């Protein structure tokens, strides 16, 4: 059986490639989620997996340790094998700020996701718009520029 991998890249001291079995090394959290789908009504599922915060923290985010709020400039981009993408801010998942319980689910309804890859689960998102299946890449980025003028602007 071939295991799906996800690449953690970007502003990290320890970029890494992870499989679903690798993600079992972190504390596992369980959530029941109801996603309100426009086409098929409310879908209820049970997910289990580590917190995105724990996994990214272990990879060594490139925050300036002297500046507490430096973390607020970091964005997290998540890509799935089906072409879906989502963007989160570090402040959403950081316990010092919003502390959202965002999971990298390793199972759905007690079915392991080893072959398909983990899923991004944001229980607080009512419609599941940022739910990503088959995650293949997560990038932490603190180097983008905001408010800079372009040559034409």
């Amino acid at each position: 059986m071939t295991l799906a991998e996800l690449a953690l890249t970007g502003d990290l001291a320890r970029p890494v490639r992870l499989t679903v079995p690798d993600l079992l090394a972190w504390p596992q959290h369980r959530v029941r989620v109801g996603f309100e789908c426009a086409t098929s009504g409310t879908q209820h599922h049970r997910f289990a997996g580590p917190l995105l915060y724990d996994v990214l923290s272990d990879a060594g985010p490139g925050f300036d340790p002297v500046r507490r709020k430096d973390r607020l400039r970091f964005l997290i981009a998540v890509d799935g094998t089906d072409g879906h993408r989502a963007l989160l801010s570090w402040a959403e998942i950081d316990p010092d700020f919003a502390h959202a319980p965002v999971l990298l689910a390793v199972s759905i309804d007690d079915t392991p996701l080893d072959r398909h890859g983990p899923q991004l689960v944001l229980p607080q998102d009512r419609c599941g718009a940022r739910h990503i299946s088959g995650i293949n890449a997560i990038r932490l980025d603190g180097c983008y520029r905001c408010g800079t003028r372009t040559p034409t602007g």
Side-chain angles (χ1 to χ4, degrees), residues 50-53 88 92-93 100-104 120-124:
L51 293 174
L52 175 61
Y53 173 83
L88 297 92
E92 286 182 81
I93 65 170
V102 178
L103 290 186
L104 292 177
L120 182 70
V121 178
L122 291 91
Q124 67 276 17

Side-chain angles (χ1 to χ4, degrees), residues 29-35 43-49 103 105-113 119 121 131:
H29 299 263
R30 292 175 184 8
V31 295
R32 290 184 182 270
V33 179
F35 294 129
Q43 303 292 313
H44 296 280
H45 295 288
R46 295 178 321 277
F47 295 97
L103 290 186
V106 296
S107 69
I108 179 173
D109 300 326
D110 300 320
T111 301
L113 295 168
Q119 296 184 7
V121 178
H131 179 228

Side-chain angles (χ1 to χ4, degrees), residues 9-105:
T9 63
D11 296 323
L12 299 169
R14 295 173 297 282
V16 66
R17 296 186 75 76
L18 298 169
T19 63
V20 166
D22 295 331
L23 293 170
L24 293 170
W26 282 273
Q28 301 296 295
H29 299 263
R30 292 175 184 8
V31 295
R32 290 184 182 270
V33 179
F35 294 129
E36 294 178 23
C37 302
T39 56
S40 56
T42 302
Q43 303 292 313
H44 296 280
H45 295 288
R46 295 178 321 277
F47 295 97
L51 293 174
L52 175 61
Y53 173 83
D54 292 343
V55 175
L56 285 175
S57 292
D58 195 55
F63 307 141
D64 181 342
V66 177
R67 299 173 51 216
R68 178 179 173 263
K69 291 185 179 181
D70 187 55
R71 297 172 281 170
L72 298 180
R73 69 183 171 91
F74 282 75
L75 297 175
I76 305 163
V78 181
D79 289 343
T81 55
D82 61 0
H84 287 115
R85 295 180 172 166
L87 190 63
L88 297 92
S89 71
W90 182 269
E92 286 182 81
I93 65 170
D94 192 309
D96 286 343
F97 301 102
H99 198 207
V102 178
L103 290 186
L104 292 177

